[in-house]
Amino acid sequence: MSTLIPCIIAGGAGTRLWPVSREAMPKPFMRLPDGESLLQKTFVRACGLEDVQRILTVTNREMCFRTLDDYRPLNQAGVALDFILEPFGRNTAPAIAAAALHVAQKYGEDAQLLVLPADHLIQDLDAFAQAVARARKLAEQGWLVTFGLVPSHPETAFGYIEKGPALVNGGHRVARFVEKPDSATAQAWVDGGLHLWNAGIFCMRVDSLVQQFQIHAPQVLGAVDSCLERSRCKSGDQELQLELDPEHFALVPDISIDYAIMEHSEQVAVVPCELGWSDIGSWQAVRQLCPADSQGNRCTGETVLHDVNNCYIDSTRLVAGIGLDDLIIVDTPDALLIADAKRSQEVRLIAGQLKLQGHDAYRSHRTVSRPWGTYTVLEEGLHFKIKRITVRPNASLSLQMHHHRSEHWIVVSGMARVTNGDETFLLNANESTFIKPGRAHRLSNPGVIDLIMIEVQSGEYLGEDDIVRFTDIYGRAPKSSTAKRP
């Protein structure tokens, strides 16, 4: 049978899981109660399939290093990693078209692409492997195969697939894709047995998929192909990164694979399956993953509760509650969510309001991941900002300069190699240096343990866009400051 290449699609904002899921750290990176992220679970699930030697991931280029951080501890078998890095989101059709063209060029047009959303939970791995095996047989015959989940209840938040005539290998021709129904229609579909939940999981031979793009969405395929021709690629022993050209990717239509191909093609089949699946689409769904106490409360973190029932509480600090019932309480260092559990789907409205207001809590957390480590904003006010910076061993920030701010660096633990203007020197714990505005500087960690330091910024403008990047070991393009004097 043809080579199988799982393709993990990792994107989206996961707004119904705010304040943990945010634009710069979306739902796939959320840690579940067992400590693993949805992305990690997807990666392990893909690695566990028979004969998988390579995994392709399509994600935002700003999330590549965080994705690698999730993959590397779990990649015991040394599976090769390909990345297609998007400058911004363009929905699933462009992402899958880019994956198909990339795989066709690198690994052959007869390869099979298994498209896996990174933000779904599948608990029955044996059933998943069996469904993939059935789908691969259909895909080898030229079918575009989607996975249809046997509904466990009438659900109005999902799209459905209507089964058509039966095919060999346990599949069916797709009669039609249908949008989210009302409750009465959903109940009728569950009772009728012809409708399945649309999981957004696909298995397809690359040549069959490209052919269907040529027929039904040639503008998407052409624009993606043109973009790939102008995109840069870098590779190592076990890793390849294809960074899509921003200018040409902006010309690609923003459309889902369902609207572009699946709803129009005559070559779509569905494999019915029961996988212990959840899209973890709300805090109610997350709550079900935690064990309940005698009062029906499910808590992560330290709590002191009196007359509290049926609540979900997730916090890194002590939470005290009195006289509460059926609430969702999610506390992060910079935002607190309190919601009626029955209305947890409406959390996306709060995230939407924050985005409209330009509030930073929509986009990022106080702790921000970078290729070299993390930084956490501890406190900020007029003309000052204090950060805790953690730099991994042998990692380095870019050589850079700021127009409007000075920086004072104090080493807390580990060793720092500092470039400050024309000087390069080492700093140990409890030593410091001062960086004047306009002076080129770089921070790196030559040691074998994490470097932890405090940075105190002072100046009339402290935005992250006040940076001129000269060189960078991670291949990030040189950056000119766009900051304007306030």
Side-chain angles (χ1 to χ4, degrees):
M1 191 174 288
S2 303
T3 301
L4 179 68
I5 299 183
C7 175
I8 299 174
I9 307 292
T15 55
R16 289 177 294 177
L17 292 171
W18 185 90
V20 174
S21 175
R22 306 193 189 183
E23 190 176 74
M25 191 59 64
K27 176 181 167 186
F29 298 99
M30 272 187 59
R31 289 296 186 268
L32 297 181
D34 65 2
E36 283 192 344
S37 70
L38 288 166
L39 177 63
Q40 287 179 312
K41 290 182 179 298
T42 306
F43 180 73
V44 170
R45 190 161 64 246
C47 288
L49 294 170
E50 188 176 356
D51 297 328
V52 168
Q53 303 296 321
R54 180 174 298 274
I55 289 178
L56 171 63
T57 302
V58 184
T59 190
N60 186 283
R61 64 184 179 187
E62 298 297 329
M63 299 176 192
C64 178
F65 296 99
R66 179 59 190 260
T67 302
L68 281 168
D69 286 345
D70 270 16
Y71 284 177
R72 282 171 175 156
L74 304 173
N75 193 13
Q76 305 301 323
V79 173
L81 303 175
D82 281 15
F83 288 87
I84 296 177
L85 304 178
E86 298 177 324
F88 37 78
R90 264 295 183 268
N91 219 314
T92 52
I96 293 172
L101 292 172
H102 169 74
V103 168
Q105 180 184 19
K106 295 288 184 181
Y107 313 113
E109 294 184 348
D110 63 341
Q112 291 184 351
L113 201 65
L114 177 65
V115 178
L116 302 171
D119 56 355
H120 292 177
L121 178 66
I122 291 176
Q123 296 176 305
D124 192 337
L125 299 188
D126 289 338
F128 172 72
Q130 292 167 16
V132 170
R134 296 200 306 273
R136 293 193 67 189
K137 291 177 181 178
L138 289 167
E140 201 63 20
Q141 300 169 14
W143 293 97
L144 309 185
V145 186
T146 184
F147 291 51
L149 300 163
V150 177
S152 58
H153 59 276
E155 177 60 66
T156 61
F158 302 153
Y160 285 69
I161 301 167
E162 184 178 315
K163 293 187 295 184
L167 302 169
V168 294
N169 301 316
H172 292 259
R173 181 189 290 270
V174 169
R176 61 177 180 140
F177 289 82
V178 285
E179 295 293 337
K180 300 171 184 177
D182 58 30
S183 57
T185 303
Q187 183 65 64
W189 286 350
V190 171
D191 293 341
L194 285 179
H195 292 79
L196 307 164
W197 290 340
N198 185 357
I201 304 172
F202 306 97
C203 185
M204 305 163 284
R205 267 181 59 130
V206 168
D207 51 3
S208 300
L209 177 58
V210 170
Q211 180 188 53
Q212 293 301 304
F213 265 107
Q214 291 170 338
I215 295 170
H216 300 291
Q219 70 281 15
V220 174
L221 188 69
V224 170
D225 192 27
S226 178
C227 178
L228 289 177
E229 290 177 357
R230 295 162 175 82
S231 300
R232 60 177 184 167
C233 183
K234 61 178 182 178
S235 59
D237 293 338
Q238 288 291 105
E239 185 182 312
L240 180 148
Q241 295 181 11
L242 175 63
E243 188 168 336
L244 299 181
D245 178 74
E247 181 179 349
H248 287 83
F249 195 61
L251 303 177
V252 179
D254 186 339
I255 187 172
S256 73
I257 190 68
D258 283 352
Y259 286 152
I261 302 294
M262 298 299 167
E263 293 186 359
H264 308 291
S265 174
E266 298 294 324
Q267 290 297 115
V268 183
V270 61
V271 171
C273 46
E274 297 180 79
L275 307 177
W277 175 91
S278 171
D279 73 336
I280 312 295
S282 68
W283 284 112
Q284 278 281 55
V286 176
R287 172 159 81 167
Q288 299 308 311
L289 302 177
C290 302
D293 64 16
S294 57
Q295 283 73 47
N297 297 310
R298 304 168 192 259
C299 302
T300 301
E302 189 177 7
T303 57
V304 177
L305 307 177
H306 175 70
D307 191 23
V308 173
N309 300 281
N310 305 312
C311 288
Y312 175 76
I313 302 173
D314 183 354
S315 177
T316 57
R317 58 179 169 177
L318 173 65
V319 173
I322 300 172
L324 308 176
D325 184 59
D326 205 21
L327 294 181
I328 301 289
I329 300 171
V330 181
D331 190 27
T332 67
D334 64 336
L336 169 65
L337 169 70
I338 304 173
D340 183 333
K342 294 185 290 296
R343 302 179 65 179
S344 63
Q345 294 281 352
E346 297 176 43
V347 171
R348 70 185 188 280
L349 302 178
I350 299 296
Q353 289 180 32
L354 291 170
K355 186 174 184 178
L356 287 174
Q357 294 170 12
H359 200 294
D360 199 50
Y362 170 81
R363 182 179 139 67
S364 61
H365 290 272
R366 283 193 175 273
T367 296
V368 177
S369 293
R370 287 289 184 260
W372 41 262
T374 64
Y375 72 80
T376 302
V377 178
L378 302 177
E379 190 170 349
E380 59 185 317
L382 186 63
H383 303 321
F384 82 93
K385 183 183 292 185
I386 303 174
K387 291 182 177 179
R388 180 178 63 246
I389 295 177
T390 301
V391 185
R392 298 188 187 96
N394 299 311
S396 175
L397 282 67
S398 60
L399 181 65
Q400 59 186 250
M401 180 267 287
H402 310 294
H403 290 294
H404 302 302
R405 71 174 184 254
S406 64
E407 295 178 344
H408 188 192
W409 294 347
I410 306 103
V411 176
V412 175
S413 64
M415 176 182 289
R417 178 183 289 119
V418 175
T419 297
N420 188 348
D422 296 329
E423 297 182 90
T424 298
F425 49 89
L426 297 177
L427 292 178
N428 292 300
N430 206 33
E431 296 180 335
S432 64
T433 190
F434 178 74
I435 313 290
K436 294 181 178 179
R439 179 173 290 180
H441 58 279
R442 187 200 294 270
L443 174 67
S444 60
N445 179 1
V448 295
I449 63 171
D450 283 350
L451 162 65
I452 301 175
M453 54 168 285
I454 299 298
E455 176 182 271
V456 181
Q457 300 178 2
S458 300
E460 60 184 6
Y461 182 79
L462 305 175
E464 292 299 321
D465 56 347
D466 179 17
I467 178 174
V468 178
R469 183 180 295 140
F470 300 112
T471 61
D472 180 67
I473 66 173
Y474 305 104
R476 294 175 294 177
K479 181 177 179 181
S480 298
S481 173
T482 58
K484 301 230 189 304
R485 187 176 295 272

